[in-house]
Amino acid sequence: GAVVSQHPSWVICKSGTSVKIECRSLDFQATTMFWYRQFPKQSLMLMATSNEGSKATYEQGVEKDKFLINHASLTLSTLTVTSAHPEDSSFYICSAHRGGSSYNEQFFGPGTRLTVL
Amino acid sequence: KNQVEQSPQSLIILEGKNCTLQCNYTVSPFSNLRWYKQDTGRGPVSLTIMTFSENTKSNGRYTATLDADTKQSSLHITASQLSDSASYICVVSAHNAGNMLTFGGGTRLMVKP
């Protein structure tokens, strides 16, 4: 159990377009999901925390109008990169928090590789 | 400021050899420490999770240790295989931190035949 999926696994888009990435918890309900960005040879950097039914909380330096997050249900959160530019090219990873365990565990998705031309 | 530091940054070993990766943290109040394996182009996969009271935990050829007094952890890989080539990330969770995690920079391990 505790599987998190992301779609698409990779996407290439033109500069100026918007791209939506989906994150789903397949076999558990996630009240909280997290979105991370990872550049080559670097560790994950938290972008925002997404809570079901409420506005996302963004980390300092992350533009909320550029990275739109919607957490409409307990199993789905979406990240939309608006007006994408080449510097937005990165590996985007989501994680879902499964409550009820003593470890307060997060489960990570497989990631989405975004390339903006 | 909560921080997690890992060493070495990168490591090359021969197939079949053992290795140990280190993690030092200053996260407080400590909740738990996790080791993840991340293959290139993939999301992190959990190897072990330890709370304050757990000193060691194994998962197959992976054994993690935790010294909560010195705030150090290690991940020992036994009889390495080519498939162990990946980044290993130490992640620490703090109590009352909204389930947020503090990530180490990772150790990039390459196992050569």
Side-chain angles (χ1 to χ4, degrees), chain A residues 34 36 38 41 43-44 46 59 91 93 97 103-106 108-110 113, chain B residues 32 34 36 38 41-44 49 51 54 57 98-101 103-105:
Chain A
F34 302 85
Y36 297 87
Q38 186 177 34
K41 297 186 178 181
S43 194
L44 284 72
L46 181 65
E59 293 300 297
F91 193 52
I93 303 174
H97 170 246
Y103 293 118
N104 219 22
E105 199 162 354
Q106 285 187 31
F108 289 87
R113 172 74 59 190
Chain B
N32 59 68
R34 316 139 189 245
Y36 287 92
Q38 185 179 23
R42 305 291 294 174
I49 301 177
T51 61
E54 296 173 296
K57 184 165 281 189
N99 305 316
M100 289 175 60
L101 307 176
F103 288 78

PDB file of all heavy atoms in Angstrom, chain A residues 34 36 38 41 43-44 46 59 91 93 97 103-106 108-110 113, chain B residues 32 34 36 38 41-44 49 51 54 57 98-101 103-105:
ATOM      1  N   PHE A  34       2.677  17.498  -0.605  1.00  0.00           N
ATOM      2  CA  PHE A  34       3.790  18.428  -0.722  1.00  0.00           C
ATOM      3  C   PHE A  34       4.314  18.399  -2.153  1.00  0.00           C
ATOM      4  O   PHE A  34       4.351  17.355  -2.789  1.00  0.00           O
ATOM      5  CB  PHE A  34       4.928  18.043   0.234  1.00  0.00           C
ATOM      6  CG  PHE A  34       4.514  17.999   1.681  1.00  0.00           C
ATOM      7  CD1 PHE A  34       3.940  16.858   2.213  1.00  0.00           C
ATOM      8  CD2 PHE A  34       4.709  19.088   2.511  1.00  0.00           C
ATOM      9  CE1 PHE A  34       3.547  16.802   3.549  1.00  0.00           C
ATOM     10  CE2 PHE A  34       4.332  19.043   3.848  1.00  0.00           C
ATOM     11  CZ  PHE A  34       3.747  17.903   4.356  1.00  0.00           C
ATOM     12  N   TYR A  36       7.698  19.349  -4.442  1.00  0.00           N
ATOM     13  CA  TYR A  36       9.123  19.622  -4.387  1.00  0.00           C
ATOM     14  C   TYR A  36       9.657  19.851  -5.798  1.00  0.00           C
ATOM     15  O   TYR A  36       9.099  19.372  -6.784  1.00  0.00           O
ATOM     16  CB  TYR A  36       9.884  18.429  -3.780  1.00  0.00           C
ATOM     17  CG  TYR A  36       9.534  18.099  -2.353  1.00  0.00           C
ATOM     18  CD1 TYR A  36       8.466  17.252  -2.050  1.00  0.00           C
ATOM     19  CD2 TYR A  36      10.295  18.595  -1.296  1.00  0.00           C
ATOM     20  CE1 TYR A  36       8.153  16.924  -0.746  1.00  0.00           C
ATOM     21  CE2 TYR A  36       9.990  18.271   0.024  1.00  0.00           C
ATOM     22  CZ  TYR A  36       8.927  17.437   0.285  1.00  0.00           C
ATOM     23  OH  TYR A  36       8.625  17.110   1.587  1.00  0.00           O
ATOM     24  N   GLN A  38      13.483  19.618  -7.869  1.00  0.00           N
ATOM     25  CA  GLN A  38      14.846  19.112  -7.731  1.00  0.00           C
ATOM     26  C   GLN A  38      15.631  19.418  -8.997  1.00  0.00           C
ATOM     27  O   GLN A  38      15.261  18.964 -10.088  1.00  0.00           O
ATOM     28  CB  GLN A  38      14.837  17.606  -7.462  1.00  0.00           C
ATOM     29  CG  GLN A  38      16.208  17.029  -7.172  1.00  0.00           C
ATOM     30  CD  GLN A  38      16.147  15.554  -6.834  1.00  0.00           C
ATOM     31  OE1 GLN A  38      15.312  14.816  -7.368  1.00  0.00           O
ATOM     32  NE2 GLN A  38      17.029  15.099  -5.964  1.00  0.00           N
ATOM     33  N   LYS A  41      21.673  17.045  -9.583  1.00  0.00           N
ATOM     34  CA  LYS A  41      22.702  16.836  -8.557  1.00  0.00           C
ATOM     35  C   LYS A  41      22.418  17.627  -7.279  1.00  0.00           C
ATOM     36  O   LYS A  41      23.329  17.850  -6.485  1.00  0.00           O
ATOM     37  CB  LYS A  41      24.087  17.182  -9.105  1.00  0.00           C
ATOM     38  CG  LYS A  41      24.517  16.287 -10.265  1.00  0.00           C
ATOM     39  CD  LYS A  41      25.950  16.549 -10.684  1.00  0.00           C
ATOM     40  CE  LYS A  41      26.350  15.611 -11.815  1.00  0.00           C
ATOM     41  NZ  LYS A  41      27.758  15.819 -12.236  1.00  0.00           N
ATOM     42  N   SER A  43      19.497  18.233  -3.879  1.00  0.00           N
ATOM     43  CA  SER A  43      18.452  17.541  -3.143  1.00  0.00           C
ATOM     44  C   SER A  43      17.097  18.194  -3.416  1.00  0.00           C
ATOM     45  O   SER A  43      17.001  19.207  -4.096  1.00  0.00           O
ATOM     46  CB  SER A  43      18.762  17.572  -1.652  1.00  0.00           C
ATOM     47  OG  SER A  43      17.946  16.648  -0.976  1.00  0.00           O
ATOM     48  N   LEU A  44      16.061  17.605  -2.886  1.00  0.00           N
ATOM     49  CA  LEU A  44      14.714  18.133  -3.075  1.00  0.00           C
ATOM     50  C   LEU A  44      14.539  19.450  -2.325  1.00  0.00           C
ATOM     51  O   LEU A  44      14.997  19.590  -1.193  1.00  0.00           O
ATOM     52  CB  LEU A  44      13.667  17.139  -2.565  1.00  0.00           C
ATOM     53  CG  LEU A  44      13.367  15.922  -3.437  1.00  0.00           C
ATOM     54  CD1 LEU A  44      14.505  14.926  -3.412  1.00  0.00           C
ATOM     55  CD2 LEU A  44      12.072  15.256  -2.972  1.00  0.00           C
ATOM     56  N   LEU A  46      11.520  21.999  -1.046  1.00  0.00           N
ATOM     57  CA  LEU A  46      10.084  22.129  -0.858  1.00  0.00           C
ATOM     58  C   LEU A  46       9.593  23.419  -1.498  1.00  0.00           C
ATOM     59  O   LEU A  46      10.141  24.492  -1.258  1.00  0.00           O
ATOM     60  CB  LEU A  46       9.744  22.118   0.629  1.00  0.00           C
ATOM     61  CG  LEU A  46       8.258  22.236   0.981  1.00  0.00           C
ATOM     62  CD1 LEU A  46       7.482  21.017   0.494  1.00  0.00           C
ATOM     63  CD2 LEU A  46       8.078  22.409   2.488  1.00  0.00           C
ATOM     64  N   GLU A  59       6.568  28.146   0.085  1.00  0.00           N
ATOM     65  CA  GLU A  59       7.838  28.462   0.708  1.00  0.00           C
ATOM     66  C   GLU A  59       8.331  29.819   0.200  1.00  0.00           C
ATOM     67  O   GLU A  59       7.938  30.287  -0.875  1.00  0.00           O
ATOM     68  CB  GLU A  59       8.869  27.373   0.402  1.00  0.00           C
ATOM     69  CG  GLU A  59       8.541  26.045   1.034  1.00  0.00           C
ATOM     70  CD  GLU A  59       8.457  26.114   2.542  1.00  0.00           C
ATOM     71  OE1 GLU A  59       9.484  26.422   3.187  1.00  0.00           O
ATOM     72  OE2 GLU A  59       7.366  25.867   3.083  1.00  0.00           O
ATOM     73  N   PHE A  91      12.883  18.806 -12.214  1.00  0.00           N
ATOM     74  CA  PHE A  91      12.215  17.554 -11.839  1.00  0.00           C
ATOM     75  C   PHE A  91      11.285  17.882 -10.683  1.00  0.00           C
ATOM     76  O   PHE A  91      11.725  18.346  -9.635  1.00  0.00           O
ATOM     77  CB  PHE A  91      13.279  16.524 -11.429  1.00  0.00           C
ATOM     78  CG  PHE A  91      12.776  15.117 -11.303  1.00  0.00           C
ATOM     79  CD1 PHE A  91      12.067  14.520 -12.328  1.00  0.00           C
ATOM     80  CD2 PHE A  91      13.052  14.368 -10.161  1.00  0.00           C
ATOM     81  CE1 PHE A  91      11.618  13.202 -12.221  1.00  0.00           C
ATOM     82  CE2 PHE A  91      12.613  13.056 -10.048  1.00  0.00           C
ATOM     83  CZ  PHE A  91      11.895  12.478 -11.073  1.00  0.00           C
ATOM     84  N   ILE A  93       8.543  16.733  -7.902  1.00  0.00           N
ATOM     85  CA  ILE A  93       8.158  15.538  -7.148  1.00  0.00           C
ATOM     86  C   ILE A  93       7.105  15.918  -6.117  1.00  0.00           C
ATOM     87  O   ILE A  93       7.243  16.943  -5.429  1.00  0.00           O
ATOM     88  CB  ILE A  93       9.367  14.922  -6.421  1.00  0.00           C
ATOM     89  CG1 ILE A  93      10.489  14.592  -7.410  1.00  0.00           C
ATOM     90  CG2 ILE A  93       8.960  13.669  -5.656  1.00  0.00           C
ATOM     91  CD1 ILE A  93      11.765  14.122  -6.728  1.00  0.00           C
ATOM     92  N   HIS A  97       1.099  12.800   2.559  1.00  0.00           N
ATOM     93  CA  HIS A  97       1.215  12.423   3.964  1.00  0.00           C
ATOM     94  C   HIS A  97       0.092  11.465   4.337  1.00  0.00           C
ATOM     95  O   HIS A  97      -1.091  11.757   4.106  1.00  0.00           O
ATOM     96  CB  HIS A  97       1.135  13.671   4.856  1.00  0.00           C
ATOM     97  CG  HIS A  97       0.997  13.354   6.307  1.00  0.00           C
ATOM     98  ND1 HIS A  97      -0.138  13.655   7.038  1.00  0.00           N
ATOM     99  CD2 HIS A  97       1.855  12.736   7.170  1.00  0.00           C
ATOM    100  CE1 HIS A  97       0.035  13.248   8.286  1.00  0.00           C
ATOM    101  NE2 HIS A  97       1.214  12.701   8.389  1.00  0.00           N
ATOM    102  N   TYR A 103       5.085   7.232  12.550  1.00  0.00           N
ATOM    103  CA  TYR A 103       6.205   7.843  11.840  1.00  0.00           C
ATOM    104  C   TYR A 103       5.801   9.094  11.073  1.00  0.00           C
ATOM    105  O   TYR A 103       6.651   9.766  10.521  1.00  0.00           O
ATOM    106  CB  TYR A 103       6.809   6.843  10.862  1.00  0.00           C
ATOM    107  CG  TYR A 103       7.484   5.679  11.546  1.00  0.00           C
ATOM    108  CD1 TYR A 103       7.029   4.379  11.346  1.00  0.00           C
ATOM    109  CD2 TYR A 103       8.578   5.878  12.375  1.00  0.00           C
ATOM    110  CE1 TYR A 103       7.654   3.304  11.957  1.00  0.00           C
ATOM    111  CE2 TYR A 103       9.207   4.810  12.988  1.00  0.00           C
ATOM    112  CZ  TYR A 103       8.747   3.526  12.773  1.00  0.00           C
ATOM    113  OH  TYR A 103       9.364   2.464  13.374  1.00  0.00           O
ATOM    114  N   ASN A 104       4.503   9.395  11.027  1.00  0.00           N
ATOM    115  CA  ASN A 104       4.070  10.596  10.307  1.00  0.00           C
ATOM    116  C   ASN A 104       4.632  10.587   8.894  1.00  0.00           C
ATOM    117  O   ASN A 104       5.264  11.544   8.453  1.00  0.00           O
ATOM    118  CB  ASN A 104       4.593  11.824  11.059  1.00  0.00           C
ATOM    119  CG  ASN A 104       3.567  12.932  11.073  1.00  0.00           C
ATOM    120  OD1 ASN A 104       2.390  12.695  10.905  1.00  0.00           O
ATOM    121  ND2 ASN A 104       4.038  14.151  11.248  1.00  0.00           N
ATOM    122  N   GLU A 105       4.399   9.506   8.208  1.00  0.00           N
ATOM    123  CA  GLU A 105       5.151   9.211   7.003  1.00  0.00           C
ATOM    124  C   GLU A 105       4.648   9.940   5.767  1.00  0.00           C
ATOM    125  O   GLU A 105       3.456  10.172   5.587  1.00  0.00           O
ATOM    126  CB  GLU A 105       5.104   7.707   6.744  1.00  0.00           C
ATOM    127  CG  GLU A 105       6.181   7.202   5.831  1.00  0.00           C
ATOM    128  CD  GLU A 105       6.365   5.700   5.949  1.00  0.00           C
ATOM    129  OE1 GLU A 105       5.720   5.082   6.827  1.00  0.00           O
ATOM    130  OE2 GLU A 105       7.149   5.160   5.168  1.00  0.00           O
ATOM    131  N   GLN A 106       5.593  10.310   4.904  1.00  0.00           N
ATOM    132  CA  GLN A 106       5.287  10.855   3.590  1.00  0.00           C
ATOM    133  C   GLN A 106       5.722   9.837   2.548  1.00  0.00           C
ATOM    134  O   GLN A 106       6.770   9.204   2.686  1.00  0.00           O
ATOM    135  CB  GLN A 106       6.047  12.155   3.319  1.00  0.00           C
ATOM    136  CG  GLN A 106       5.531  13.376   4.049  1.00  0.00           C
ATOM    137  CD  GLN A 106       6.234  14.635   3.603  1.00  0.00           C
ATOM    138  OE1 GLN A 106       6.667  14.765   2.450  1.00  0.00           O
ATOM    139  NE2 GLN A 106       6.357  15.592   4.519  1.00  0.00           N
ATOM    140  N   PHE A 108       6.505   9.391  -1.566  1.00  0.00           N
ATOM    141  CA  PHE A 108       6.845  10.209  -2.706  1.00  0.00           C
ATOM    142  C   PHE A 108       6.342   9.606  -4.013  1.00  0.00           C
ATOM    143  O   PHE A 108       6.306   8.377  -4.185  1.00  0.00           O
ATOM    144  CB  PHE A 108       8.363  10.396  -2.799  1.00  0.00           C
ATOM    145  CG  PHE A 108       8.909  11.293  -1.729  1.00  0.00           C
ATOM    146  CD1 PHE A 108       9.262  10.777  -0.492  1.00  0.00           C
ATOM    147  CD2 PHE A 108       9.055  12.647  -1.954  1.00  0.00           C
ATOM    148  CE1 PHE A 108       9.750  11.598   0.510  1.00  0.00           C
ATOM    149  CE2 PHE A 108       9.548  13.479  -0.949  1.00  0.00           C
ATOM    150  CZ  PHE A 108       9.896  12.948   0.274  1.00  0.00           C
ATOM    151  N   GLY A 109       5.982  10.493  -4.929  1.00  0.00           N
ATOM    152  CA  GLY A 109       5.650  10.066  -6.270  1.00  0.00           C
ATOM    153  C   GLY A 109       6.916   9.845  -7.075  1.00  0.00           C
ATOM    154  O   GLY A 109       8.016  10.168  -6.620  1.00  0.00           O
ATOM    155  N   PRO A 110       6.778   9.333  -8.294  1.00  0.00           N
ATOM    156  CA  PRO A 110       7.941   9.026  -9.125  1.00  0.00           C
ATOM    157  C   PRO A 110       8.553  10.237  -9.798  1.00  0.00           C
ATOM    158  O   PRO A 110       9.621  10.136 -10.405  1.00  0.00           O
ATOM    159  CB  PRO A 110       7.378   8.058 -10.160  1.00  0.00           C
ATOM    160  CG  PRO A 110       5.945   8.443 -10.264  1.00  0.00           C
ATOM    161  CD  PRO A 110       5.529   8.870  -8.883  1.00  0.00           C
ATOM    162  N   ARG A 113       9.396  15.068 -15.065  1.00  0.00           N
ATOM    163  CA  ARG A 113      10.484  15.845 -15.670  1.00  0.00           C
ATOM    164  C   ARG A 113       9.889  16.866 -16.607  1.00  0.00           C
ATOM    165  O   ARG A 113       9.249  16.514 -17.584  1.00  0.00           O
ATOM    166  CB  ARG A 113      11.414  14.911 -16.442  1.00  0.00           C
ATOM    167  CG  ARG A 113      12.481  15.621 -17.283  1.00  0.00           C
ATOM    168  CD  ARG A 113      13.570  16.196 -16.433  1.00  0.00           C
ATOM    169  NE  ARG A 113      14.245  15.179 -15.634  1.00  0.00           N
ATOM    170  CZ  ARG A 113      15.098  15.446 -14.675  1.00  0.00           C
ATOM    171  NH1 ARG A 113      15.371  16.698 -14.343  1.00  0.00           N
ATOM    172  NH2 ARG A 113      15.667  14.476 -14.014  1.00  0.00           N
TER     173      ARG A 113
ATOM    174  N   ASN B  32      11.655  11.935  13.823  1.00  0.00           N
ATOM    175  CA  ASN B  32      12.181  10.710  13.244  1.00  0.00           C
ATOM    176  C   ASN B  32      13.178  11.022  12.139  1.00  0.00           C
ATOM    177  O   ASN B  32      13.233  12.151  11.641  1.00  0.00           O
ATOM    178  CB  ASN B  32      11.060   9.796  12.729  1.00  0.00           C
ATOM    179  CG  ASN B  32      10.201  10.473  11.678  1.00  0.00           C
ATOM    180  OD1 ASN B  32      10.660  10.735  10.583  1.00  0.00           O
ATOM    181  ND2 ASN B  32       8.959  10.743  12.016  1.00  0.00           N
ATOM    182  N   ARG B  34      14.816   9.447   8.456  1.00  0.00           N
ATOM    183  CA  ARG B  34      14.576   8.490   7.379  1.00  0.00           C
ATOM    184  C   ARG B  34      15.746   8.484   6.418  1.00  0.00           C
ATOM    185  O   ARG B  34      16.381   9.508   6.192  1.00  0.00           O
ATOM    186  CB  ARG B  34      13.318   8.887   6.592  1.00  0.00           C
ATOM    187  CG  ARG B  34      12.146   9.306   7.463  1.00  0.00           C
ATOM    188  CD  ARG B  34      11.434  10.505   6.888  1.00  0.00           C
ATOM    189  NE  ARG B  34      10.448  11.016   7.835  1.00  0.00           N
ATOM    190  CZ  ARG B  34       9.142  11.007   7.604  1.00  0.00           C
ATOM    191  NH1 ARG B  34       8.667  10.545   6.475  1.00  0.00           N
ATOM    192  NH2 ARG B  34       8.318  11.479   8.510  1.00  0.00           N
ATOM    193  N   TYR B  36      16.388   7.550   2.413  1.00  0.00           N
ATOM    194  CA  TYR B  36      15.740   7.269   1.148  1.00  0.00           C
ATOM    195  C   TYR B  36      16.798   6.932   0.099  1.00  0.00           C
ATOM    196  O   TYR B  36      17.913   7.460   0.123  1.00  0.00           O
ATOM    197  CB  TYR B  36      14.958   8.484   0.639  1.00  0.00           C
ATOM    198  CG  TYR B  36      13.685   8.792   1.392  1.00  0.00           C
ATOM    199  CD1 TYR B  36      13.691   9.670   2.469  1.00  0.00           C
ATOM    200  CD2 TYR B  36      12.474   8.218   1.014  1.00  0.00           C
ATOM    201  CE1 TYR B  36      12.520   9.966   3.144  1.00  0.00           C
ATOM    202  CE2 TYR B  36      11.294   8.515   1.689  1.00  0.00           C
ATOM    203  CZ  TYR B  36      11.330   9.393   2.750  1.00  0.00           C
ATOM    204  OH  TYR B  36      10.173   9.685   3.423  1.00  0.00           O
ATOM    205  N   GLN B  38      17.246   7.259  -3.981  1.00  0.00           N
ATOM    206  CA  GLN B  38      16.661   7.887  -5.156  1.00  0.00           C
ATOM    207  C   GLN B  38      17.482   7.529  -6.386  1.00  0.00           C
ATOM    208  O   GLN B  38      18.629   7.960  -6.539  1.00  0.00           O
ATOM    209  CB  GLN B  38      16.581   9.416  -5.011  1.00  0.00           C
ATOM    210  CG  GLN B  38      15.861  10.072  -6.171  1.00  0.00           C
ATOM    211  CD  GLN B  38      15.751  11.574  -6.053  1.00  0.00           C
ATOM    212  OE1 GLN B  38      16.522  12.212  -5.359  1.00  0.00           O
ATOM    213  NE2 GLN B  38      14.763  12.155  -6.735  1.00  0.00           N
ATOM    214  N   GLY B  41      16.294  10.197 -11.966  1.00  0.00           N
ATOM    215  CA  GLY B  41      15.043  10.385 -12.676  1.00  0.00           C
ATOM    216  C   GLY B  41      13.843   9.742 -12.023  1.00  0.00           C
ATOM    217  O   GLY B  41      12.784   9.609 -12.659  1.00  0.00           O
ATOM    218  N   ARG B  42      13.974   9.364 -10.760  1.00  0.00           N
ATOM    219  CA  ARG B  42      12.866   8.737 -10.040  1.00  0.00           C
ATOM    220  C   ARG B  42      12.645   9.455  -8.717  1.00  0.00           C
ATOM    221  O   ARG B  42      13.489  10.219  -8.247  1.00  0.00           O
ATOM    222  CB  ARG B  42      13.176   7.255  -9.760  1.00  0.00           C
ATOM    223  CG  ARG B  42      13.519   6.438 -10.991  1.00  0.00           C
ATOM    224  CD  ARG B  42      12.330   6.255 -11.888  1.00  0.00           C
ATOM    225  NE  ARG B  42      11.291   5.447 -11.246  1.00  0.00           N
ATOM    226  CZ  ARG B  42      10.090   5.237 -11.770  1.00  0.00           C
ATOM    227  NH1 ARG B  42       9.768   5.774 -12.916  1.00  0.00           N
ATOM    228  NH2 ARG B  42       9.200   4.488 -11.140  1.00  0.00           N
ATOM    229  N   GLY B  43      11.505   9.187  -8.094  1.00  0.00           N
ATOM    230  CA  GLY B  43      11.243   9.755  -6.788  1.00  0.00           C
ATOM    231  C   GLY B  43      11.942   8.953  -5.696  1.00  0.00           C
ATOM    232  O   GLY B  43      12.333   7.805  -5.914  1.00  0.00           O
ATOM    233  N   PRO B  44      12.132   9.550  -4.525  1.00  0.00           N
ATOM    234  CA  PRO B  44      12.783   8.840  -3.417  1.00  0.00           C
ATOM    235  C   PRO B  44      11.937   7.665  -2.924  1.00  0.00           C
ATOM    236  O   PRO B  44      10.714   7.759  -2.866  1.00  0.00           O
ATOM    237  CB  PRO B  44      12.898   9.911  -2.329  1.00  0.00           C
ATOM    238  CG  PRO B  44      12.700  11.212  -3.026  1.00  0.00           C
ATOM    239  CD  PRO B  44      11.794  10.926  -4.177  1.00  0.00           C
ATOM    240  N   ILE B  49      13.088   4.049   8.563  1.00  0.00           N
ATOM    241  CA  ILE B  49      12.609   5.170   9.381  1.00  0.00           C
ATOM    242  C   ILE B  49      12.871   4.810  10.836  1.00  0.00           C
ATOM    243  O   ILE B  49      12.570   3.689  11.261  1.00  0.00           O
ATOM    244  CB  ILE B  49      11.107   5.428   9.191  1.00  0.00           C
ATOM    245  CG1 ILE B  49      10.792   5.737   7.739  1.00  0.00           C
ATOM    246  CG2 ILE B  49      10.646   6.586  10.065  1.00  0.00           C
ATOM    247  CD1 ILE B  49       9.311   5.940   7.484  1.00  0.00           C
ATOM    248  N   THR B  51      12.677   6.329  14.970  1.00  0.00           N
ATOM    249  CA  THR B  51      12.306   7.342  15.952  1.00  0.00           C
ATOM    250  C   THR B  51      13.409   7.468  16.995  1.00  0.00           C
ATOM    251  O   THR B  51      14.423   6.755  16.937  1.00  0.00           O
ATOM    252  CB  THR B  51      10.984   6.970  16.642  1.00  0.00           C
ATOM    253  OG1 THR B  51      11.170   5.716  17.321  1.00  0.00           O
ATOM    254  CG2 THR B  51       9.862   6.848  15.636  1.00  0.00           C
ATOM    255  N   GLU B  54      14.807   4.281  18.661  1.00  0.00           N
ATOM    256  CA  GLU B  54      15.337   3.197  17.837  1.00  0.00           C
ATOM    257  C   GLU B  54      16.781   3.482  17.473  1.00  0.00           C
ATOM    258  O   GLU B  54      17.091   4.522  16.898  1.00  0.00           O
ATOM    259  CB  GLU B  54      14.488   3.022  16.574  1.00  0.00           C
ATOM    260  CG  GLU B  54      13.061   2.594  16.888  1.00  0.00           C
ATOM    261  CD  GLU B  54      12.175   2.582  15.657  1.00  0.00           C
ATOM    262  OE1 GLU B  54      11.954   3.662  15.065  1.00  0.00           O
ATOM    263  OE2 GLU B  54      11.702   1.486  15.273  1.00  0.00           O
ATOM    264  N   LYS B  57      18.061  -0.091  12.528  1.00  0.00           N
ATOM    265  CA  LYS B  57      16.982  -0.705  11.771  1.00  0.00           C
ATOM    266  C   LYS B  57      17.540  -1.216  10.451  1.00  0.00           C
ATOM    267  O   LYS B  57      18.330  -0.517   9.802  1.00  0.00           O
ATOM    268  CB  LYS B  57      15.855   0.279  11.534  1.00  0.00           C
ATOM    269  CG  LYS B  57      14.643  -0.323  10.830  1.00  0.00           C
ATOM    270  CD  LYS B  57      13.430   0.552  10.933  1.00  0.00           C
ATOM    271  CE  LYS B  57      12.755   0.405  12.279  1.00  0.00           C
ATOM    272  NZ  LYS B  57      11.452   1.079  12.329  1.00  0.00           N
ATOM    273  N   GLY B  98       4.304  20.580  11.163  1.00  0.00           N
ATOM    274  CA  GLY B  98       3.375  20.473  10.049  1.00  0.00           C
ATOM    275  C   GLY B  98       3.755  19.394   9.070  1.00  0.00           C
ATOM    276  O   GLY B  98       3.509  19.524   7.874  1.00  0.00           O
ATOM    277  N   ASN B  99       4.349  18.315   9.565  1.00  0.00           N
ATOM    278  CA  ASN B  99       4.764  17.191   8.729  1.00  0.00           C
ATOM    279  C   ASN B  99       5.860  17.552   7.739  1.00  0.00           C
ATOM    280  O   ASN B  99       6.077  16.840   6.769  1.00  0.00           O
ATOM    281  CB  ASN B  99       3.559  16.604   7.961  1.00  0.00           C
ATOM    282  CG  ASN B  99       2.440  16.209   8.888  1.00  0.00           C
ATOM    283  OD1 ASN B  99       2.693  15.605   9.922  1.00  0.00           O
ATOM    284  ND2 ASN B  99       1.228  16.560   8.552  1.00  0.00           N
ATOM    285  N   MET B 100       6.529  18.658   7.950  1.00  0.00           N
ATOM    286  CA  MET B 100       7.582  19.051   7.026  1.00  0.00           C
ATOM    287  C   MET B 100       8.879  18.328   7.335  1.00  0.00           C
ATOM    288  O   MET B 100       9.142  17.935   8.466  1.00  0.00           O
ATOM    289  CB  MET B 100       7.786  20.552   7.064  1.00  0.00           C
ATOM    290  CG  MET B 100       6.638  21.323   6.423  1.00  0.00           C
ATOM    291  SD  MET B 100       6.795  23.087   6.593  1.00  0.00           S
ATOM    292  CE  MET B 100       8.320  23.377   5.753  1.00  0.00           C
ATOM    293  N   LEU B 101       9.660  18.146   6.287  1.00  0.00           N
ATOM    294  CA  LEU B 101      10.892  17.395   6.383  1.00  0.00           C
ATOM    295  C   LEU B 101      12.085  18.291   6.080  1.00  0.00           C
ATOM    296  O   LEU B 101      11.985  19.217   5.282  1.00  0.00           O
ATOM    297  CB  LEU B 101      10.878  16.234   5.387  1.00  0.00           C
ATOM    298  CG  LEU B 101       9.667  15.303   5.445  1.00  0.00           C
ATOM    299  CD1 LEU B 101       9.746  14.267   4.331  1.00  0.00           C
ATOM    300  CD2 LEU B 101       9.583  14.617   6.792  1.00  0.00           C
ATOM    301  N   PHE B 103      15.768  17.993   4.455  1.00  0.00           N
ATOM    302  CA  PHE B 103      16.517  17.069   3.609  1.00  0.00           C
ATOM    303  C   PHE B 103      18.011  17.331   3.692  1.00  0.00           C
ATOM    304  O   PHE B 103      18.463  18.486   3.710  1.00  0.00           O
ATOM    305  CB  PHE B 103      16.096  17.234   2.148  1.00  0.00           C
ATOM    306  CG  PHE B 103      14.735  16.698   1.839  1.00  0.00           C
ATOM    307  CD1 PHE B 103      13.596  17.408   2.173  1.00  0.00           C
ATOM    308  CD2 PHE B 103      14.582  15.471   1.211  1.00  0.00           C
ATOM    309  CE1 PHE B 103      12.334  16.916   1.898  1.00  0.00           C
ATOM    310  CE2 PHE B 103      13.323  14.968   0.918  1.00  0.00           C
ATOM    311  CZ  PHE B 103      12.200  15.699   1.260  1.00  0.00           C
ATOM    312  N   GLY B 104      18.778  16.251   3.693  1.00  0.00           N
ATOM    313  CA  GLY B 104      20.208  16.372   3.493  1.00  0.00           C
ATOM    314  C   GLY B 104      20.503  16.505   2.011  1.00  0.00           C
ATOM    315  O   GLY B 104      19.624  16.308   1.164  1.00  0.00           O
ATOM    316  N   GLY B 105      21.741  16.848   1.703  1.00  0.00           N
ATOM    317  CA  GLY B 105      22.123  17.045   0.310  1.00  0.00           C
ATOM    318  C   GLY B 105      22.296  15.747  -0.468  1.00  0.00           C
ATOM    319  O   GLY B 105      22.400  15.769  -1.698  1.00  0.00           O
TER     320      GLY B 105
END
